[in-house]
Structure formats: C-alpha cells, structure tokens
Amino acid sequence: MKKNYYALTFVSVDKPGIVAEVTRILYEKGFNIEDSSSTLLRGFFSMILIVSHEKSFSIEEIIAHFDDSCKKYDLSISVKPIDNMSSTTKYDKTYIVSVYGSDKPGIVYKVAKFLSEKKINIVDLQTKVAGKEDKPLYIMVLEVNVPSGLDESWMLSLKKISDELGTDINVRQIETYEF
C-alpha cells in the first residue's frame, strides 16, 4: 500500500502541551509519525515531523486539522508534501565538527559554505552563545555526512577557515548505526 509523506513544522513561544496537542491530532486523523525532532531556542519551541498517511491530503486540508490548536497555542504551521523519501547521495563517514570562539557574524555562513562546496551534508546544527555578556563565547556543533571518495584533506582546509575566523575547531569521526 502506497504511503503519502508530509513534512510538518510548528513554531511557537514555548508552553506546556504543544507536543501533546499536535500528536493527539495526528493520532486522531490517522497519521503515523515517521521521524521527528524538536528544540527550544531562546524561549521559542520548534518541531519538525515527517508523517505518513494512506490517504492523500492537500496542504490546506492538513493545516485545517490544526486550526483550533494554532489559535490556542499561537502556533505557526507549515506543510510540505514529500514526493520521494529516498536519497541518491551515498555518504561514507559521519563526523562531529565543533567550533568555539568569540561571537561574530559570519561563522555559520563561512563554515557551511565550505562544507557545501565539498558536498559535505550538514544533518544537524546547533549553535549557542555562552559566557559573559561582555565576553560572549560562540559554540557551534555540526553533524556532517561526508560523501564517499572525499579524502580527509577537507579537515585541514576547514581548520584554515577556522583560523581566519579566530575560532577553535575540533573534528572527530563518529560511528553510525542503522535500526
């Protein structure tokens, strides 16, 4: 039986009950949660879910399921149908890239631009400003998938970019597993 897949994103000022409300509606409407991730950023809650259903829905129909909840929780929702769930890019290794340094504009852009040019896929990105207000410390942690055939010289090139930014960088390979 063919499944129809959708990416749903929700954003709101954080408050208890959002996850319970969203998942209740999905359950009652017969959706299956295939994959999900959520986070809290400076008081804003965001959640992305990949859901499936045997029935095909329009974007407007799915959004209408959440009308009351969006009003109750002041939620923003977006829906994107997914036509193809398979990826054609083959990745060989997974790494964690950690960047630390004084906070300044452009750190994420320059690192992400370099990784993109090398066809390295960022699969997770987290940033945070820590430290004291007069001496903020910028912390960025990325999980990246490196395509087959790319030699390890990319790490030295990334280190040069980090030096230009005045940041410290650490790259380490991690083991991946499949369920």
Side-chain angles (χ1 to χ4, degrees), residues 16-176:
I18 295 171
V19 174
E21 179 74 4
V22 168
T23 56
R24 177 189 64 80
I25 292 167
L26 292 170
Y27 172 71
E28 289 177 355
K29 300 297 181 184
F31 286 91
N32 187 45
I33 299 172
E34 303 276 340
D35 206 354
S36 66
S37 181
S38 65
T39 193
L40 183 65
L41 301 171
R42 297 194 177 210
F44 277 86
F45 176 80
S46 67
M47 178 168 59
I48 182 167
L49 304 111
I50 304 298
V51 300
S52 64
H53 201 287
E54 295 171 358
K55 181 181 171 190
S56 178
F57 292 93
S58 69
I59 292 171
E60 293 76 18
E61 288 174 315
I62 293 174
I63 289 174
H65 293 322
F66 295 94
D67 277 349
D68 292 340
S69 301
C70 286
K71 290 174 187 159
K72 179 179 178 182
Y73 288 93
D74 195 23
L75 273 171
S76 297
I77 179 175
S78 68
V79 176
K80 180 171 180 57
I82 301 172
D83 295 330
N84 185 356
M85 286 294 291
S86 63
S87 172
T88 57
T89 304
K90 299 293 181 204
Y91 294 100
D92 190 31
K93 297 176 182 172
T94 300
Y95 292 83
I96 296 293
V97 178
S98 305
V99 180
Y100 302 88
S102 61
D103 189 22
K104 64 184 87 154
I107 295 173
V108 176
Y109 166 67
K110 289 182 180 177
V111 171
K113 179 178 180 265
F114 169 79
L115 295 172
S116 174
E117 290 169 352
K118 295 293 183 186
K119 308 292 185 218
I120 296 173
N121 191 30
I122 299 171
V123 295
D124 192 35
L125 166 68
Q126 295 184 28
T127 63
K128 185 169 269 314
V129 177
K132 298 178 181 176
E133 190 170 324
D134 63 334
K135 198 171 184 178
L137 174 66
Y138 192 78
I139 304 167
M140 177 171 66
V141 179
L142 306 102
E143 180 178 336
V144 300
N145 288 338
V146 176
S148 301
L150 184 63
D151 67 47
E152 294 187 350
S153 66
W154 68 271
M155 289 185 268
L156 292 174
S157 298
L158 186 58
K159 176 72 176 138
K160 289 179 185 173
I161 291 171
S162 176
D163 290 345
E164 292 169 8
L165 291 167
T167 59
D168 292 323
I169 193 163
N170 183 23
V171 180
R172 67 179 171 87
Q173 186 176 356
I174 61 171
E175 296 297 320
T176 58

